[in-house]
Amino acid sequence: MGKVIAIANQKGGVGKTTTAINLASSLAVLEKKVLLIDADPQANSTSGLNFDPESQDGKTLYEVLIGKEKIENVIIDSIKNLQIIPSHINLVGAEIEMLNVANRETVLKKAIAPLRDKYDFIIIDCSPSLGLITINALTASDSVIIPVQTEFYALEGLGKLLNTLKLVQNRLNKNIQIEGFLMTMYDARLKSANQVVEDVKRHFGDMVFNTIISRNVRLSEAPSYGKPVIMYDALSTGAKNYLSLADEIINGKKKND
């Protein structure tokens, strides 16, 4: 049965979508069958893999959540071993349309249940909010990766996310675990970045991935070409970082353990 991992942090600009696209692609390159679910109305994972959200002809996650379309009908092929369920700005309205649905927090969990046996990993790119769609993603997931930007105020808002996670654990999904905290946008030359890494490791210990995602030009360029970084420049630091992260996740433990 495949593992479902949400990428979540309600703080914007921390590398959440970059992580979703490039972790999913790296796992695929390492011969794992992967499904990437774009659960963000901004649809950046969709466009970052060269799919136009406007051209999906009513076959996106939005239609699945409101019961208009079966989930298997909205899956599209990306690179080898990677498929994606695209998003659309309409997803913003799904939260309102789902308000009167019974057990509305479990709609996504029920939708993806039949897909679990078809994939090794299902990665969910969450929106930068703690609304109903993100609650659905956390309820459907086995674990969550929390990207943390290596900049001042990095820990700001983490408490709220961890409280939400605790609520989900208590009421909706007792089995969800933190897969790990992922340090992103790291610049080794900056004293402040190194300080943030130290602070996060002091707070969360071995829950922090050994892999750190460095600031990398190729990594930031890749989405404009509609490619994951490993397909854009396989020798770049960004590609190597995400392959290392994928390796940590596949092995189920930190490399230095």
Side-chain angles (χ1 to χ4, degrees):
M1 182 177 280
K3 186 172 192 177
V4 183
I5 304 175
I7 317 285
N9 190 334
Q10 82 277 13
K11 194 170 187 287
V14 297
K16 195 162 37 57
T17 294
T18 299
T19 295
I21 290 172
N22 291 295
L23 172 59
S25 302
S26 296
L27 288 167
V29 166
L30 294 173
E31 299 294 314
K32 300 298 179 184
K33 288 209 69 174
V34 186
L35 176 66
L36 173 59
I37 300 176
D38 190 350
D40 184 350
Q42 295 175 82
N44 290 333
S45 279
T46 303
S47 58
L49 286 173
N50 207 30
F51 298 106
D52 179 3
E54 297 298 330
S55 67
Q56 296 310 313
D57 196 28
K59 291 183 184 292
T60 70
L61 183 63
Y62 166 71
E63 283 76 22
V64 174
L65 293 180
I66 65 167
K68 244 185 174 181
E69 192 65 74
K70 290 184 177 179
I71 197 164
E72 54 267 29
N73 294 338
V74 305
I75 297 171
I76 48 181
D77 293 325
S78 180
I79 64 171
K80 185 185 175 187
N81 293 325
L82 175 62
Q83 293 181 307
I84 179 171
I85 292 177
S87 185
H88 189 277
I89 190 64
N90 287 350
L91 195 58
V92 170
E95 299 208 355
I96 296 166
E97 294 181 57
M98 291 164 68
L99 282 177
N100 295 321
V101 174
N103 301 313
R104 58 183 180 268
E105 299 90 356
T106 62
V107 173
L108 182 58
K109 181 177 184 176
K110 288 171 186 167
I112 67 175
L115 302 178
R116 275 181 170 257
D117 289 335
K118 298 178 182 177
Y119 298 95
D120 297 304
F121 292 96
I122 296 175
I123 307 293
I124 307 175
D125 182 17
C126 299
S127 66
S129 76
L130 294 175
L132 183 56
I133 305 298
T134 298
I135 298 297
N136 260 265
L138 295 174
T139 302
S141 297
D142 299 308
S143 64
V144 57
I145 291 173
I146 304 171
V148 180
Q149 190 177 2
T150 54
E151 290 190 359
F152 199 56
Y153 298 128
L155 298 177
E156 193 180 75
L158 269 188
K160 193 174 181 184
L161 174 61
L162 295 175
N163 284 339
T164 300
L165 205 51
K166 200 169 284 185
L167 282 171
V168 169
Q169 264 178 334
N170 290 338
R171 300 180 186 179
L172 298 163
N173 180 6
K174 69 180 191 300
N175 296 319
I176 190 170
Q177 302 290 327
I178 294 176
E179 188 77 26
F181 292 86
L182 177 67
M183 308 308 300
T184 63
M185 304 181 189
Y186 175 68
D187 186 339
R189 299 167 299 179
L190 299 178
K191 186 178 178 183
S192 58
N194 290 297
Q195 185 63 54
V196 169
V197 172
E198 282 181 31
D199 288 348
V200 173
K201 285 186 174 177
R202 189 169 64 249
H203 272 87
F204 301 110
D206 61 6
M207 293 167 76
V208 182
F209 285 107
N210 287 318
T211 299
I212 295 178
I213 309 301
S214 298
R215 280 197 182 276
N216 179 243
V217 173
R218 293 298 197 216
L219 195 56
S220 56
E221 286 176 348
S224 63
Y225 291 87
K227 293 180 178 181
V229 69
I230 199 158
M231 294 296 158
Y232 179 61
D233 185 348
L235 298 178
S236 66
T237 299
K240 291 172 182 174
N241 288 167
Y242 277 107
L243 276 172
S244 172
L245 176 64
D247 188 49
E248 280 198 57
I249 287 168
I250 289 169
N251 289 318
K253 59 180 181 178
K254 313 298 184 284
K255 280 184 178 175
N256 296 341
D257 284 358

